[in-house]
Amino acid sequence: QVQLVESGGGLVQAGGSLRLSCAASGRTSSYYSTGWFRQAPGKEREFVAFISGSGLRTYYADFVQGRFTISRDNAKNTVYLQMNSLKPEETAVYYCAAGSRISSDNYYSDREYGYWGQGTQVTVSS
């Protein structure tokens, strides 16, 4: 009942920036928390950032702290991920995911999210 579509990916040089968007449609709710995950070739999916439905709580993976910023505009049903100082090893497909009642203890687990987008490719060249 909820569809998520990521956009904003592309090719960028190391040290550059991109802003990803996650647009929601269908049966959406401002109470849905949203996470960003990424998956590089040959690797497992990993947590990147989290934002609560209200936008008041955010969490980041240690390896992006200080460089990435997650935000949301509930009037537009859209969540954003601003990525600065990108590194080549961060080349991956980036996914957004949504769910309800995700606690502060398990926001990093992809098993807690019920809705997923198809992903957007981010390629960082050296």
Side-chain angles (χ1 to χ4, degrees):
Q1 289 185 290
V2 176
Q3 295 81 45
L4 304 175
V5 179
E6 303 94 336
S7 62
L11 176 64
V12 64
Q13 282 193 282
S17 299
L18 286 173
R19 188 179 75 159
L20 306 183
S21 298
C22 175
S25 61
R27 188 179 59 82
T28 61
S29 172
S30 62
Y31 294 109
Y32 288 162
S33 297
T34 304
W36 283 97
F37 295 78
R38 68 189 184 191
Q39 187 167 26
K43 298 183 179 180
E44 294 187 350
R45 184 181 293 164
E46 64 181 354
F47 167 77
V48 176
F50 165 92
I51 188 166
S52 63
S54 67
L56 296 177
R57 291 187 295 116
T58 60
Y59 302 104
Y60 298 92
D62 289 343
F63 48 79
V64 304
Q65 183 70 44
R67 297 186 296 117
F68 291 11
T69 302
I70 188 170
S71 61
R72 70 187 307 146
D73 185 341
N74 285 340
K76 298 180 179 179
N77 292 126
T78 302
V79 173
Y80 305 96
L81 182 67
Q82 177 67 45
M83 306 185 295
N84 299 326
S85 301
L86 283 161
K87 305 173 182 180
E89 57 265 36
E90 293 177 311
T91 293
V93 176
Y94 283 69
Y95 300 89
C96 66
S100 61
R101 296 157 60 181
I102 297 174
S103 75
S104 298
D105 293 325
N106 58 12
Y107 60 86
Y108 54 85
S109 175
D110 57 6
R111 299 188 301 272
E112 301 300 316
Y113 298 82
Y115 305 99
W116 291 82
Q118 294 300 303
T120 185
Q121 176 69 46
V122 171
T123 302
V124 185
S125 63
S126 60

